[in-house]
Amino acid sequence: MEPDFYSIISRFRIEGQVKHAFPFGSGHINDSYKVMTNDKNFLLQRINHNIFKDIPGLTNNITRITDHLRDRLTEENQQVLIPVRTNKGDYILKDEEDDYWRVFDFIEGSKSYDRVGNPEIACEGGRAYGQFLKMLDDFPVDTLIETIPRFHDIEFRLENFREAVLENIAGRAGEVQNEIDFANKRSDEMQLVSNLGKAGKLPLRVTHNDTKINNVLFDQDNKAICVIDLDTVMPGYVHFDFGDAIRTFTNTADEDEKDLTMVSMNINLFEAFAKGFLSETKNILKKEEIETLAFSARLMTYIIGLRFLTDYLQGDVYYKTRFPGHNLIRARVQFRLVESMEEQRVKMESIIAGT
Ligand code: ADP
Ligand code: GN1
Ligand code: MG
């Protein structure tokens, strides 16, 4: 059932009469709606509280992060999300159904992509996520809450996966033996970043943690203007942001492409993204971080593949799906991408070393 937009939006401090409201975007987690008034447009979101357990804490993270970023913008076309207050002065509204709502100013003239084959756009995306990390370099990282505990913790993700295989709640484990084997075969090598972290060799930074391509907004000239979807901004390693971005910015196919022969990692897009990212971050990153950046692409693609596969085994309880088997298709695409990255490993490493 569609929410009663008029009643919800009227509880926020917006001017103008609501003319039109409709579902917007293609995120897998929250419900987003564009709300148009005769005066201004807004982005209304229902936050998924099955996934985000501490919404006041998450909201506090976001308001502090956006305030910090706003003070540091240097380029004219750049923007930061502007949260809108409720009539009571909060940034979050809990309705009678216990749903949580928030509103941002709509970033006009912007567009987001789910896939892109263009090196200029990949480079811009790299610059945007690199700048994001750089602008938050002086933010006190330990004052942020973990909005999803152990979000990119490989051990946690492997534990969940193994439990899902054993429990086999949806009765699907038998049909995905190849994917289970694929994941098991690589589980040891995927510990690299986690081991370096435990050994104290990697700094914890304020990272975005969901750097997919459609979480950057571009203007009509394809300049990146705003990094959005700040729900998972929390302490993390640079690898989480670089690797997760490579997973979507360089894929030659969609995240849910059924024809796996279409899926591969485009090395030119990898190079373009890495150039943009490192042009902003090279001076703040440590040697150990840079040396393992190429690996992070494999790591994050593997982790997201593992999460899609786990969700499939658990009966599709986490990600929004549009058809039966959607999560399995997504998992297969990620694993095919991992293979493509394995094939191009040397080239990826030399691009990072030479950038
Ligand atoms: P999800 O967590 O579900 O991915 P997002 O915050 O990423 O939700 O929003 C979903 C989509 O809505 C984005 O990919 C983008 O296209 C669009 N969007 C989000 N915020 C804004 C905004 N402030 N202005 C314009 N478009 C937006
Ligand atoms: C989700 O919210 P969205 O669609 O930007 C997910 C990411 C996954 C991504 C896979 C909070 O991102 O971790 O990488 O789907 N976000 C959360 O496409 O789980
Ligand atoms: Mg999103």
Side-chain angles (χ1 to χ4, degrees), residues 27 210 214-215 229:
D210 189 3
N214 64 17
N215 288 332
D229 204 346

Side-chain angles (χ1 to χ4, degrees), residues 263-282:
V263 178
S264 65
M265 195 212 63
N266 180 317
I267 196 76
N268 297 326
L269 297 175
F270 176 84
E271 181 162 23
F273 184 92
K275 281 223 160 84
F277 189 83
L278 285 170
S279 71
E280 296 291 336
T281 55
K282 209 168 175 183

Side-chain angles (χ1 to χ4, degrees), residues 226 251 273 283:
C226 189
N251 189 353
F273 184 92
N283 293 337

Side-chain angles (χ1 to χ4, degrees), residues 172-181 309 312-313 328 332:
R172 296 170 171 174
E175 55 170 291
V176 294
Q177 196 54 52
N178 285 345
E179 287 73 21
I180 294 173
D181 291 345
L309 183 57
Y312 182 69
L313 289 164
L328 177 57
R332 286 185 173 143

Side-chain angles (χ1 to χ4, degrees), residues 26-30 51-52 148 151-152 209-210 212 214-215 229 231-232 244 247-248 255 304 307-308 318-319:
S26 56
H28 296 343
I29 305 293
N30 296 318
I51 290 178
F52 297 105
I148 301 181
F151 190 49
H152 291 320
N209 297 305
D210 189 3
K212 67 198 255 193
N214 64 17
N215 288 332
D229 204 346
D231 296 327
T232 52
D244 197 7
R247 173 185 89 75
T248 51
E255 196 181 54
I304 310 297
R307 288 174 57 199
F308 283 140
Y318 186 94
Y319 293 104

